[in-house]
């Protein structure tokens, strides 16, 4: 495909990713302005929309409540200024998925550098325009963060998708050259990078699925508490709808919290409030209905949830080992020595564990932050403990199948053929 066409299509992808996010925020805010705030200044609609979008792209907001608002509501002046950084990850997840698809398409068109660069520049340009046209005195954001964070949120997944596609399908280019260099090191070593990525994908997708299931179960079991928090919030019908929409955007954040709970470290909700399988340290639950999902107490049996990452590690190890065995056996049939190499298996096991830990660390960092002043200054999982727990649990599971010895066939023949040709007593 012509590079100019790839460049234009990647820019269109980036524009759509930004426009959809802006539209998803602008539409309900417009309804709010019309129905609930008929006397509000329409000039404030765009800065509010832009600030929410920047916040959803992981850029922290510096909140400064006006003095007249503090007087009307009776809020302490000490709580007038705070940072808001616990982002709703639904918008970020949409951009990541769109970016990966864009990178894959650019790679299939044999112009992945052009495509990824074009899409990233387009996001940076749009984010710059949004930041420069939406100065907000109440919810301020650093311009460099408002531009850099959305750009990285698009660029990094796009690069990852493009490189993975290049490694798998490309016949020429820098990535194909690296792949061929690995192939010259031996058939098993040639598969190491691909199997590390494949195994990590199995672990992360499995953990996200397990986190989603745990979240669904918790929402079902704690529905009464969630409804009670809705009732105590004293919002009207429109307010309830807006609150529900905002909480839907936080569901991916809650899934990451569930992953941290499964792994063992759990989550913190302000000073001294910890929710983990080992126990719940009591504290004040924020008055948001979605937080009603947090349990008041837990059973010690929930510590067994730590076996879930181990199980996904076992599955990833089985997938990697089965592919190594196929390569090894085909290598043997060519008449070469028949002993499996330990080096590639160690590299794959370590790579899957480290990459899984790094991925979960990134998720934990994105799903933690400040949600208000005082006790709400730090909510979510702690990055270090979550990464360490996931790394150790996945490493254990991967090692069970990937590093265990394999029974070799006798006489350089497959097991069933050797058995059939064995002499009868």
């Amino acid at each position: 495909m012509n590079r100019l066409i790839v460049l234009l299509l990647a820019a269109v992808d980036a524009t759509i990713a930004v426009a959809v996010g802006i539209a998803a925020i602008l539409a309900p805010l417009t309804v709010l302005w019309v129905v609930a705030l008929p006397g509000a200044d329409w000039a404030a609609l765009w800065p509010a929309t832009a600030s929410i979008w920047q916040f959803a792209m992981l850029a922290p907001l510096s909140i400064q409540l006006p003095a007249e608002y503090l007087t009307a509501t009776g809020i302490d002046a000490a709580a007038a200024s705070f940072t808001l950084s616990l982002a709703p990850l639904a918008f970020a997840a949409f951009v990541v998925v769109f970016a990966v698809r864009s990178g894959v398409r650019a790679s299939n068109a044999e112009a992945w550098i052009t495509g990824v660069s074009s899409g990233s520049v387009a996001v940076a340009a749009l984010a710059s325009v949004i930041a420069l046209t939406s100065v907000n005195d109440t919810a301020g954001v650093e311009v460099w963060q408002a531009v850099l964070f959305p750009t990285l949120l698009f660029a990094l997944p796009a690069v990852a998708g493009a490189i993975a596609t290049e490694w798998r399908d490309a016949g020429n280019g820098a990535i194909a050259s690296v792949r061929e260099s690995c192939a010259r090191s031996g058939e098993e070593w040639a598969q190491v990078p691909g199997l590390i990525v494949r195994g990590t994908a199995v672990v992360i997708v499995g953990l996200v699925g397990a986190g989603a299931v745990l979240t669904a179960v918790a929402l079902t079991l704690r529905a009464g508490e969630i409804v009670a928090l809705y009732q105590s919030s004293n919002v009207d019908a429109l307010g309830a709808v807006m609150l529900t929409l905002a909480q839907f955007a936080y569901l991916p954040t809650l899934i990451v919290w569930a992953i941290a709970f499964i792994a063992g470290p759990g989550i913190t909700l302000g000073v001294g409030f910890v929710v983990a399988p080992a126990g719940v340290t009591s504290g004040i639950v924020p008055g948001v209905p979605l937080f009603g999902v947090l349990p008041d107490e837990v059973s010690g049996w929930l510590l067994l949830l730590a076996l879930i990452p181990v199980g996904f590690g076992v599955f990833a190890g089985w997938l990697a080992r089965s592919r190594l065995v196929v390569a090894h056996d085909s290598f043997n049939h060519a008449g070469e020595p028949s002993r499996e190499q330990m080096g590639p298996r160690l590299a794959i096991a370590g790579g899957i564990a480290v990459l899984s830990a790094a991925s979960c660390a990134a998720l934990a960092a994105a799903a933690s932050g400040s949600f208000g002043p005082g006790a709400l200054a730090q909510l979510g999982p702690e990055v270090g403990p979550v990464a360490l727990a996931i790394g150790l649990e996945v490493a254990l599971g991967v090692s069970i199948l990937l590093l265990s010895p394999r029974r070799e066939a006798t006489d350089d023949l497959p097991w069933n053929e050797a058995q059939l040709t064995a002499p009868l007593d």
Side-chain angles (χ1 to χ4, degrees), residues 326-408:
V326 171
H328 169 69
D329 287 343
S330 63
F331 188 58
N332 290 344
H333 295 161
E336 298 293 336
S338 61
R339 184 174 297 278
E340 271 188 302
Q341 300 181 60
M342 179 60 73
R345 289 185 283 155
L346 285 171
I348 294 171
I352 292 175
V354 171
L355 199 54
S356 297
S359 300
C360 288
L363 291 175
S368 61
S370 173
F371 202 63
L376 300 179
Q378 182 58 46
L379 278 71
E382 296 187 21
V383 175
V386 170
L388 180 61
I390 292 291
L392 293 176
E393 290 159 3
V394 171
L396 175 61
V398 171
S399 301
I400 290 174
L401 285 183
L402 195 56
L403 301 183
S404 59
R406 183 172 74 98
R407 182 178 180 182
E408 297 288 350

Side-chain angles (χ1 to χ4, degrees), residues 287-339:
V288 178
L290 191 60
F291 287 156
V293 74
L294 300 174
D296 299 321
E297 58 182 6
V298 296
S299 169
W301 288 101
L302 290 179
L303 289 170
L304 295 177
L305 289 174
L307 294 177
I308 293 177
V310 177
F312 288 125
V314 169
F315 185 51
W318 174 78
L319 286 178
R321 187 65 177 273
S322 62
R323 290 179 177 272
L324 282 177
V325 166
V326 171
H328 169 69
D329 287 343
S330 63
F331 188 58
N332 290 344
H333 295 161
E336 298 293 336
S338 61
R339 184 174 297 278

